[in-house]
Amino acid sequence: MPALVLLGAQWGDEGKGKATDLLGGSVDYVVRYQGGNNAGHTVVVGDQKYALHLLPSGILTPECTPVIGNGVVVDPSVLFSELNGLNERGVDTSKLLISGNAHIITPYNVTVDKVTERFLGKRKIGTTGRGIGPTYADKINRVGIRVQDLYDESILTQKVEAALDAKNQMLTKLYNRRAIAVDQVVTELLTHADRLKPYVADTTLVLNDALDEGKVVLFEGGQGTLLDIDHGTYPFVTSSNPTAGGACTGAGVGPTKISRVIGILKAYTTRVGAGPFPTELFDEDGEALRRIGGERGVTTGRDRRCGWFDAVIARYATRVNGLTDFFLTKLDVLTGWERIPVCVAYEIDGRRVEELPYSQSDFHHAKPVYETLPGWSEDITKAKSFSDLPKNAQAYVKALEEMSGAPISAIGVGPGRDETIQVNSFLD
Ligand code: GDP
Ligand code: IMO
Ligand code: MG
């Protein structure tokens, strides 16, 4: 049986949480494979709204086993406060599994994230300040702390020493901050060990066994394709691989196991933080998209930058992820516009360009070439099938599908679980 990957096709916040939750009832495992609590996934179940940062959205489905894979970076205090919050609301979180190989976001990683951003000044990335980049940097520099290290105090102490050696030089000499004491960090990390223990597992083995037994596994991406460290708008990206390949390395499952890759695609575009965004709007339309779409960050509370749909980006997401399907979200937000511009190509230095340019400076100069599609004014939030949509909304979806290079298999017409039109099944 299949492994499915569900990921963001744009700059994050496409509605991955809702889409994962929707599939939760039909899958056995939901796995986060990268990122950490920089994510903010909103799930609305009935009249209840949940904001998840680190936990997989499958945690809200009792039959489903939620898994935090080796590719994720885990801040233990954030993990526990999220678990406490869910437990207080009656959600059973006891099935959660966490990879012993996942890296831990330590307090000094959070400090380094904040001071680095401050020192970048105007050139800052606009990170979420959660310590994500510095934790992945430690991982790649081979001075990271892993979940399993909490169970060997001597190894943990040696590793924290190694990690703090250079950092303390940097903090005191370059950034004029106080040095961080090794024993203080070790003591703090050890306070999490006992509570974390029951969740720690060899998740690679668990997931591969599950797939061999015919179970269905869903990999839930955080962030989005354009925030990918390799394929995104570098350096204005996150420090992991949200793209489809990240699911293999971040969970220890081979690419031959993956049968479906679903790109979550907003019917317009948003971005949080700095970096290029060709279709960004600075006018009343942008303000209206922000207001009607409720485009405010779940994690940092920052207003999201808003713009029209960009088909060049959607095509690129299809290419680098090998997308088999799109899940188009927030179509209802576009209700009421008489005409809706869609970016079909870019103009760069007088040339028409159909594909995302690999060169950063070209992308910075890209001007959107728009086609304008007729809008609709009817309320679509109650639509249950494609034919329930007004003709112009149908035509908008079909035009996006044509331009984006993969079938649109589901359409979101509201934030709730049941406010979805399923065009094709994801599980056949
Ligand atoms: P994620 O990070 O990709 O999970 O997305 P976020 O949760 O950060 O942002 C998506 C927002 O859109 C959330 O507030 C969702 O509740 C909401 N949402 C998701 N799908 C739809 C939809 O089809 N229509 C509307 N109106 N809201 C949606
Ligand atoms: P979800 O999963 C939108 C952005 C930050 C910043 C850049 C780097 O909810 O879609 P980081 O803290 O990761 O080092 O910040 O990435 N960013 C997101 N933008 N949605 C997210 O997650 C994001 N996670 C990180 O705003 O520009
Ligand atoms: Mg989000």
Side-chain angles (χ1 to χ4, degrees):
M1 266 305 272
L4 295 86
V5 182
L6 191 157
L7 52 82
Q10 294 151 322
W11 275 288
D13 305 323
E14 298 89 350
K16 299 177 291 295
K18 173 194 155 160
T20 304
D21 170 67
L22 184 72
L23 282 166
S26 331
V27 307
D28 301 296
Y29 292 81
V30 173
V31 187
R32 279 283 307 269
Y33 57 87
Q34 49 66 236
N37 59 303
N38 48 347
H41 296 176
T42 319
V43 180
V44 180
V45 186
D47 60 357
Q48 293 289 309
K49 186 169 168 177
Y50 299 89
L52 301 169
H53 297 284
L54 177 59
L55 294 169
S57 303
I59 197 120
L60 300 173
T61 308
E63 307 81 56
C64 197
T65 303
V67 179
I68 293 181
N70 57 276
V72 175
V73 288
V74 178
D75 185 327
S77 37
V78 171
L79 173 75
F80 294 137
S81 78
E82 214 166 307
L83 288 173
N84 291 346
L86 289 175
N87 295 153
E88 278 159 22
R89 294 171 74 177
V91 178
D92 176 13
T93 55
S94 59
K95 285 167 100 178
L96 176 69
L97 299 177
I98 302 174
S99 166
N101 286 349
H103 280 247
I104 290 191
I105 302 178
T106 63
Y108 53 79
N109 293 134
V110 178
T111 304
V112 171
D113 193 359
K114 289 182 178 152
V115 289
T116 313
E117 280 284 274
R118 205 165 310 138
F119 266 71
L120 279 171
K122 271 202 316 228
R123 286 170 295 140
K124 72 176 180 188
I125 308 296
T127 73
T128 59
R130 303 299 193 258
I132 306 295
T135 306
Y136 279 114
D138 278 1
K139 174 178 175 174
I140 298 300
N141 282 330
R142 295 162 293 194
V143 291
I145 310 296
R146 296 189 291 173
V147 167
Q148 57 178 291
D149 298 330
L150 299 186
Y151 304 101
D152 187 325
E153 189 172 342
S154 141
I155 286 190
L156 178 67
T157 308
Q158 287 172 42
K159 290 191 173 178
V160 173
E161 264 166 17
L164 278 178
D165 234 13
K167 270 181 208 77
N168 273 336
Q169 299 281 337
M170 183 184 81
L171 285 172
T172 52
K173 298 195 175 134
L174 194 63
Y175 293 134
N176 211 15
R177 305 273 295 217
R178 238 180 290 154
I180 297 170
V182 173
D183 50 352
Q184 210 176 320
V185 173
V186 170
T187 307
E188 202 211 302
L189 289 176
L190 287 176
T191 61
H192 303 300
D194 285 347
R195 188 169 173 197
L196 207 55
K197 188 88 194 249
Y199 301 114
V200 181
D202 183 349
T203 52
T204 306
L205 185 61
V206 171
L207 293 171
N208 280 282
D209 282 351
L211 286 165
D212 288 344
E213 284 166 26
K215 301 270 169 45
V216 185
V217 177
L218 177 68
F219 297 95
E220 177 190 17
Q223 293 75 54
T225 300
L226 274 293
L227 287 173
D228 186 281
I229 186 82
D230 285 279
H231 301 292
T233 45
Y234 190 91
F236 301 102
V237 291
T238 193
S239 299
S240 66
N241 288 116
T243 47
C248 296
T249 49
V253 166
T256 50
K257 300 275 167 68
I258 291 166
S259 53
R260 207 113 185 207
V261 185
I262 305 158
I264 314 301
L265 188 66
K266 213 178 269 192
Y268 50 96
T269 314
T270 63
R271 174 163 205 175
V272 197
F277 178 0
T279 63
E280 182 169 13
L281 294 167
F282 299 94
D283 58 5
E284 281 167 22
D285 282 329
E287 199 44 58
L289 286 173
R290 192 171 304 118
R291 190 182 63 250
I292 302 165
E295 298 297 352
R296 180 175 276 266
V298 184
T299 299
T300 57
R302 289 178 288 181
D303 272 354
R304 294 175 181 155
R305 301 156 64 191
C306 295
W308 299 122
F309 183 82
D310 185 335
V312 183
I313 282 172
R315 275 199 292 281
Y316 179 71
T318 304
R319 170 165 33 117
V320 298
N321 294 298
L323 295 182
T324 56
D325 302 84
F326 279 114
F327 188 140
L328 186 72
T329 59
K330 303 192 100 162
L331 186 64
D332 54 299
V333 174
L334 295 179
T335 300
W337 264 275
E338 213 165 296
R339 301 196 66 80
I340 309 171
V342 170
C343 168
V344 294
Y346 299 142
E347 192 195 295
I348 302 173
D349 300 331
R351 284 173 302 125
R352 184 183 164 107
V353 175
E354 307 276 342
E355 296 294 336
L356 198 88
Y358 74 87
S359 141
Q360 184 186 352
S361 50
D362 278 356
F363 193 57
H364 275 274
H365 294 127
K367 292 196 188 73
V369 176
Y370 285 115
E371 259 177 31
T372 308
L373 303 174
W376 59 94
S377 56
E378 301 88 333
D379 175 17
I380 63 167
T381 56
K382 305 282 177 302
K384 293 284 171 239
S385 69
F386 189 70
S387 57
D388 291 342
L389 292 173
K391 284 282 167 289
N392 286 350
Q394 291 186 17
Y396 185 80
V397 173
K398 282 288 157 207
L400 263 47
E401 181 173 81
E402 188 80 13
M403 294 168 194
S404 305
I408 292 176
S409 296
I411 303 161
V413 291
R417 233 181 219 177
D418 50 357
E419 288 170 311
T420 304
I421 298 170
Q422 194 79 46
V423 183
N424 309 307
S425 164
F426 292 121
L427 291 156
D428 51 15

